[in-house]
Short mmCIF file of all heavy atoms in Angstrom, two decimals:
data_model
loop_
_atom_site.label_atom_id
_atom_site.label_comp_id
_atom_site.label_asym_id
_atom_site.label_seq_id
_atom_site.Cartn_x
_atom_site.Cartn_y
_atom_site.Cartn_z
N PRO E 7 0.40 6.03 -4.69
CA PRO E 7 1.46 5.04 -4.84
C PRO E 7 0.88 3.62 -4.99
O PRO E 7 0.55 2.96 -4.01
CB PRO E 7 2.25 5.18 -3.54
CG PRO E 7 1.25 5.69 -2.55
CD PRO E 7 0.28 6.53 -3.34
N LEU E 8 0.73 3.18 -6.22
CA LEU E 8 0.06 1.91 -6.53
C LEU E 8 0.70 0.73 -5.82
O LEU E 8 0.01 -0.07 -5.18
CB LEU E 8 0.05 1.68 -8.04
CG LEU E 8 -0.58 0.37 -8.49
CD1 LEU E 8 -2.07 0.35 -8.16
CD2 LEU E 8 -0.36 0.16 -9.98
N TYR E 9 2.01 0.57 -5.94
CA TYR E 9 2.66 -0.59 -5.35
C TYR E 9 2.60 -0.55 -3.82
O TYR E 9 2.46 -1.59 -3.18
CB TYR E 9 4.10 -0.72 -5.85
CG TYR E 9 4.17 -1.04 -7.33
CD1 TYR E 9 4.96 -0.31 -8.20
CD2 TYR E 9 3.42 -2.08 -7.86
CE1 TYR E 9 5.01 -0.61 -9.54
CE2 TYR E 9 3.47 -2.39 -9.21
CZ TYR E 9 4.26 -1.65 -10.04
OH TYR E 9 4.31 -1.94 -11.38
N THR E 10 2.66 0.61 -3.23
CA THR E 10 2.51 0.73 -1.78
C THR E 10 1.09 0.34 -1.37
O THR E 10 0.90 -0.33 -0.35
CB THR E 10 2.83 2.16 -1.33
OG1 THR E 10 4.17 2.47 -1.72
CG2 THR E 10 2.70 2.31 0.17
N ALA E 11 0.10 0.75 -2.13
CA ALA E 11 -1.29 0.38 -1.84
C ALA E 11 -1.49 -1.13 -1.94
O ALA E 11 -2.20 -1.72 -1.13
CB ALA E 11 -2.23 1.11 -2.78
N LEU E 12 -0.83 -1.77 -2.90
CA LEU E 12 -0.93 -3.22 -3.04
C LEU E 12 -0.27 -3.94 -1.86
O LEU E 12 -0.83 -4.91 -1.32
CB LEU E 12 -0.30 -3.68 -4.35
CG LEU E 12 -1.04 -3.30 -5.61
CD1 LEU E 12 -0.24 -3.69 -6.85
CD2 LEU E 12 -2.41 -3.95 -5.65
N VAL E 13 0.89 -3.46 -1.44
CA VAL E 13 1.56 -4.05 -0.27
C VAL E 13 0.68 -3.89 0.96
O VAL E 13 0.51 -4.82 1.75
CB VAL E 13 2.95 -3.41 -0.05
CG1 VAL E 13 3.53 -3.77 1.31
CG2 VAL E 13 3.91 -3.83 -1.15
N PHE E 14 0.12 -2.70 1.14
CA PHE E 14 -0.76 -2.45 2.28
C PHE E 14 -1.96 -3.40 2.26
O PHE E 14 -2.32 -3.98 3.28
CB PHE E 14 -1.22 -1.00 2.28
CG PHE E 14 -2.08 -0.66 3.45
CD1 PHE E 14 -1.51 -0.36 4.68
CD2 PHE E 14 -3.46 -0.65 3.34
CE1 PHE E 14 -2.30 -0.06 5.78
CE2 PHE E 14 -4.26 -0.35 4.43
CZ PHE E 14 -3.68 -0.05 5.65
N ALA E 15 -2.59 -3.58 1.09
CA ALA E 15 -3.76 -4.45 0.98
C ALA E 15 -3.41 -5.90 1.29
O ALA E 15 -4.13 -6.59 2.02
CB ALA E 15 -4.37 -4.33 -0.42
N VAL E 16 -2.29 -6.37 0.76
CA VAL E 16 -1.87 -7.76 1.02
C VAL E 16 -1.61 -7.98 2.50
O VAL E 16 -2.05 -8.97 3.08
CB VAL E 16 -0.62 -8.11 0.17
CG1 VAL E 16 0.03 -9.40 0.66
CG2 VAL E 16 -0.99 -8.22 -1.30
N PHE E 17 -0.91 -7.04 3.14
CA PHE E 17 -0.62 -7.20 4.56
C PHE E 17 -1.87 -7.03 5.42
O PHE E 17 -2.01 -7.70 6.44
CB PHE E 17 0.48 -6.25 5.00
CG PHE E 17 1.85 -6.86 4.86
CD1 PHE E 17 2.51 -6.83 3.65
CD2 PHE E 17 2.44 -7.50 5.93
CE1 PHE E 17 3.75 -7.42 3.51
CE2 PHE E 17 3.69 -8.09 5.80
CZ PHE E 17 4.34 -8.05 4.58
N ALA E 18 -2.78 -6.18 5.04
CA ALA E 18 -4.01 -6.02 5.80
C ALA E 18 -4.84 -7.30 5.74
O ALA E 18 -5.35 -7.77 6.77
CB ALA E 18 -4.83 -4.84 5.27
N ILE E 19 -4.96 -7.89 4.57
CA ILE E 19 -5.70 -9.14 4.43
C ILE E 19 -4.98 -10.28 5.15
O ILE E 19 -5.59 -11.07 5.86
CB ILE E 19 -5.91 -9.47 2.94
CG1 ILE E 19 -6.87 -8.46 2.32
CG2 ILE E 19 -6.44 -10.89 2.75
CD1 ILE E 19 -6.93 -8.49 0.81
N GLY E 20 -3.66 -10.34 4.98
CA GLY E 20 -2.89 -11.37 5.66
C GLY E 20 -2.97 -11.27 7.17
O GLY E 20 -3.10 -12.28 7.86
N HIS E 21 -2.92 -10.07 7.68
CA HIS E 21 -3.02 -9.88 9.13
C HIS E 21 -4.42 -10.22 9.63
O HIS E 21 -4.58 -10.79 10.71
CB HIS E 21 -2.65 -8.45 9.52
CG HIS E 21 -2.72 -8.22 10.99
ND1 HIS E 21 -1.85 -8.81 11.87
CD2 HIS E 21 -3.56 -7.48 11.74
CE1 HIS E 21 -2.16 -8.45 13.10
NE2 HIS E 21 -3.19 -7.64 13.04
N PHE E 22 -5.42 -9.91 8.85
CA PHE E 22 -6.80 -10.21 9.25
C PHE E 22 -7.02 -11.72 9.38
O PHE E 22 -7.65 -12.19 10.32
CB PHE E 22 -7.78 -9.61 8.24
CG PHE E 22 -9.22 -9.85 8.58
CD1 PHE E 22 -9.84 -9.09 9.55
CD2 PHE E 22 -9.95 -10.83 7.92
CE1 PHE E 22 -11.18 -9.31 9.87
CE2 PHE E 22 -11.28 -11.05 8.23
CZ PHE E 22 -11.89 -10.29 9.21
N PHE E 23 -6.50 -12.48 8.42
CA PHE E 23 -6.73 -13.93 8.42
C PHE E 23 -5.69 -14.73 9.20
O PHE E 23 -6.00 -15.76 9.78
CB PHE E 23 -6.80 -14.46 6.98
CG PHE E 23 -8.06 -14.08 6.28
CD1 PHE E 23 -8.04 -13.15 5.26
CD2 PHE E 23 -9.27 -14.65 6.63
CE1 PHE E 23 -9.20 -12.79 4.60
CE2 PHE E 23 -10.45 -14.30 5.98
CZ PHE E 23 -10.40 -13.37 4.96
N TRP E 24 -4.42 -14.28 9.21
CA TRP E 24 -3.36 -15.11 9.76
C TRP E 24 -2.51 -14.43 10.82
O TRP E 24 -1.47 -14.97 11.21
CB TRP E 24 -2.45 -15.61 8.64
CG TRP E 24 -3.19 -16.41 7.63
CD1 TRP E 24 -3.75 -17.64 7.80
CD2 TRP E 24 -3.48 -16.03 6.29
NE1 TRP E 24 -4.36 -18.05 6.66
CE2 TRP E 24 -4.21 -17.08 5.70
CE3 TRP E 24 -3.18 -14.91 5.51
CZ2 TRP E 24 -4.65 -17.04 4.39
CZ3 TRP E 24 -3.62 -14.88 4.20
CH2 TRP E 24 -4.35 -15.93 3.67
N ASP E 25 -2.90 -13.28 11.30
CA ASP E 25 -2.18 -12.59 12.38
C ASP E 25 -0.69 -12.43 12.04
O ASP E 25 0.18 -13.08 12.62
CB ASP E 25 -2.36 -13.35 13.70
CG ASP E 25 -1.88 -12.52 14.88
OD1 ASP E 25 -1.92 -11.28 14.80
OD2 ASP E 25 -1.47 -13.12 15.89
N TRP E 26 -0.39 -11.54 11.12
CA TRP E 26 0.96 -11.36 10.61
C TRP E 26 1.81 -10.37 11.41
O TRP E 26 2.65 -9.69 10.86
CB TRP E 26 0.91 -10.88 9.16
CG TRP E 26 0.66 -11.97 8.18
CD1 TRP E 26 0.38 -13.27 8.42
CD2 TRP E 26 0.70 -11.84 6.76
NE1 TRP E 26 0.22 -13.96 7.27
CE2 TRP E 26 0.40 -13.12 6.22
CE3 TRP E 26 0.93 -10.78 5.90
CZ2 TRP E 26 0.36 -13.34 4.86
CZ3 TRP E 26 0.86 -11.01 4.55
CH2 TRP E 26 0.59 -12.28 4.02
N TRP E 27 1.67 -10.31 12.72
CA TRP E 27 2.49 -9.39 13.51
C TRP E 27 3.97 -9.68 13.36
O TRP E 27 4.80 -8.77 13.38
CB TRP E 27 2.10 -9.43 14.98
CG TRP E 27 0.94 -8.56 15.29
CD1 TRP E 27 -0.30 -8.97 15.68
CD2 TRP E 27 0.88 -7.14 15.22
NE1 TRP E 27 -1.13 -7.90 15.85
CE2 TRP E 27 -0.43 -6.75 15.58
CE3 TRP E 27 1.78 -6.15 14.88
CZ2 TRP E 27 -0.84 -5.43 15.62
CZ3 TRP E 27 1.37 -4.83 14.91
CH2 TRP E 27 0.07 -4.48 15.28
N ASN E 28 4.34 -10.95 13.23
CA ASN E 28 5.76 -11.31 13.11
C ASN E 28 6.37 -10.86 11.79
O ASN E 28 7.58 -10.80 11.65
CB ASN E 28 5.94 -12.82 13.26
CG ASN E 28 5.60 -13.29 14.65
OD1 ASN E 28 5.69 -12.53 15.61
ND2 ASN E 28 5.21 -14.55 14.77
N TYR E 29 5.54 -10.54 10.81
CA TYR E 29 6.03 -10.12 9.50
C TYR E 29 5.93 -8.61 9.29
O TYR E 29 6.12 -8.12 8.18
CB TYR E 29 5.25 -10.84 8.40
CG TYR E 29 5.35 -12.34 8.52
CD1 TYR E 29 4.27 -13.09 8.99
CD2 TYR E 29 6.52 -13.00 8.19
CE1 TYR E 29 4.37 -14.47 9.11
CE2 TYR E 29 6.63 -14.38 8.31
CZ TYR E 29 5.55 -15.10 8.77
OH TYR E 29 5.65 -16.45 8.90
N LEU E 30 5.67 -7.89 10.35
CA LEU E 30 5.52 -6.44 10.24
C LEU E 30 6.80 -5.77 9.74
O LEU E 30 6.74 -4.77 9.03
CB LEU E 30 5.10 -5.86 11.59
CG LEU E 30 4.54 -4.45 11.58
CD1 LEU E 30 3.33 -4.37 10.66
CD2 LEU E 30 4.16 -4.02 12.98
N VAL E 31 7.94 -6.33 10.07
CA VAL E 31 9.20 -5.78 9.59
C VAL E 31 9.27 -5.84 8.06
O VAL E 31 9.80 -4.94 7.41
CB VAL E 31 10.42 -6.47 10.24
CG1 VAL E 31 10.53 -7.91 9.81
CG2 VAL E 31 11.69 -5.71 9.94
N TRP E 32 8.70 -6.89 7.45
CA TRP E 32 8.66 -6.99 5.99
C TRP E 32 7.74 -5.94 5.38
O TRP E 32 8.02 -5.40 4.31
CB TRP E 32 8.22 -8.39 5.55
CG TRP E 32 9.31 -9.39 5.80
CD1 TRP E 32 9.39 -10.25 6.85
CD2 TRP E 32 10.47 -9.57 5.02
NE1 TRP E 32 10.54 -10.98 6.75
CE2 TRP E 32 11.23 -10.59 5.63
CE3 TRP E 32 10.95 -8.99 3.85
CZ2 TRP E 32 12.43 -11.03 5.12
CZ3 TRP E 32 12.15 -9.43 3.34
CH2 TRP E 32 12.87 -10.44 3.96
N PHE E 33 6.65 -5.67 6.07
CA PHE E 33 5.75 -4.60 5.62
C PHE E 33 6.51 -3.28 5.56
O PHE E 33 6.46 -2.57 4.55
CB PHE E 33 4.55 -4.49 6.56
CG PHE E 33 3.69 -3.29 6.28
CD1 PHE E 33 2.81 -3.28 5.23
CD2 PHE E 33 3.78 -2.16 7.09
CE1 PHE E 33 2.02 -2.18 4.96
CE2 PHE E 33 3.00 -1.06 6.84
CZ PHE E 33 2.11 -1.06 5.77
N HIS E 34 7.22 -2.96 6.62
CA HIS E 34 7.97 -1.70 6.66
C HIS E 34 9.08 -1.68 5.60
O HIS E 34 9.34 -0.64 4.99
CB HIS E 34 8.55 -1.46 8.05
CG HIS E 34 7.51 -1.13 9.06
ND1 HIS E 34 6.93 0.10 9.15
CD2 HIS E 34 6.93 -1.87 10.03
CE1 HIS E 34 6.04 0.11 10.12
NE2 HIS E 34 6.03 -1.09 10.67
N LEU E 35 9.71 -2.82 5.38
CA LEU E 35 10.75 -2.89 4.36
C LEU E 35 10.17 -2.65 2.96
O LEU E 35 10.72 -1.87 2.18
CB LEU E 35 11.42 -4.26 4.40
CG LEU E 35 12.49 -4.49 3.34
CD1 LEU E 35 13.73 -3.68 3.67
CD2 LEU E 35 12.82 -5.96 3.23
N LEU E 36 9.04 -3.27 2.66
CA LEU E 36 8.44 -3.13 1.33
C LEU E 36 7.82 -1.76 1.10
O LEU E 36 7.84 -1.25 -0.02
CB LEU E 36 7.40 -4.23 1.12
CG LEU E 36 7.97 -5.64 1.01
CD1 LEU E 36 6.85 -6.67 1.01
CD2 LEU E 36 8.83 -5.78 -0.23
N VAL E 37 7.28 -1.17 2.15
CA VAL E 37 6.69 0.16 2.01
C VAL E 37 7.77 1.23 1.97
O VAL E 37 7.61 2.28 1.37
CB VAL E 37 5.67 0.42 3.15
CG1 VAL E 37 5.25 1.86 3.21
CG2 VAL E 37 4.47 -0.47 2.98
N GLY E 38 8.89 0.95 2.62
CA GLY E 38 9.99 1.90 2.61
C GLY E 38 10.00 2.82 3.80
O GLY E 38 10.62 3.87 3.78
N ARG E 39 9.30 2.46 4.83
CA ARG E 39 9.27 3.30 6.03
C ARG E 39 10.48 3.00 6.88
O ARG E 39 10.80 1.86 7.16
CB ARG E 39 8.00 3.01 6.83
CG ARG E 39 7.91 3.85 8.05
CD ARG E 39 6.55 3.71 8.70
NE ARG E 39 6.50 4.58 9.85
CZ ARG E 39 6.26 4.13 11.07
NH1 ARG E 39 6.01 2.87 11.29
NH2 ARG E 39 6.23 4.97 12.06
N HIS E 40 11.13 4.03 7.33
CA HIS E 40 12.28 3.88 8.21
C HIS E 40 11.80 4.00 9.65
O HIS E 40 11.15 4.95 10.02
CB HIS E 40 13.32 4.96 7.93
CG HIS E 40 13.82 4.91 6.53
ND1 HIS E 40 14.74 3.99 6.12
CD2 HIS E 40 13.52 5.64 5.44
CE1 HIS E 40 15.00 4.16 4.85
NE2 HIS E 40 14.27 5.16 4.40
N THR E 41 12.14 2.98 10.42
CA THR E 41 11.75 2.98 11.82
C THR E 41 12.97 3.30 12.66
O THR E 41 14.03 2.73 12.48
CB THR E 41 11.17 1.61 12.23
OG1 THR E 41 10.12 1.29 11.36
CG2 THR E 41 10.68 1.62 13.66
#
């Protein structure tokens, strides 16, 4: 899944540099995971 891999890469890099825990809900929304 190309677009899912891109979302994962962006969030992994963003979390590494800027601690994106508050944006985790957006990650799940873009990946399509139901919590």
Side-chain angles (χ1 to χ4, degrees):
L8 178 65
Y9 293 130
T10 301
L12 290 174
V13 167
F14 182 81
V16 166
F17 270 84
I19 292 167
H21 181 67
F22 181 78
F23 287 109
W24 300 292
D25 192 28
W26 280 6
W27 276 113
N28 293 334
Y29 302 105
L30 196 58
V31 67
W32 288 100
F33 171 78
H34 289 284
L35 178 73
L36 292 172
V37 169
R39 181 171 182 238
H40 300 282
T41 305

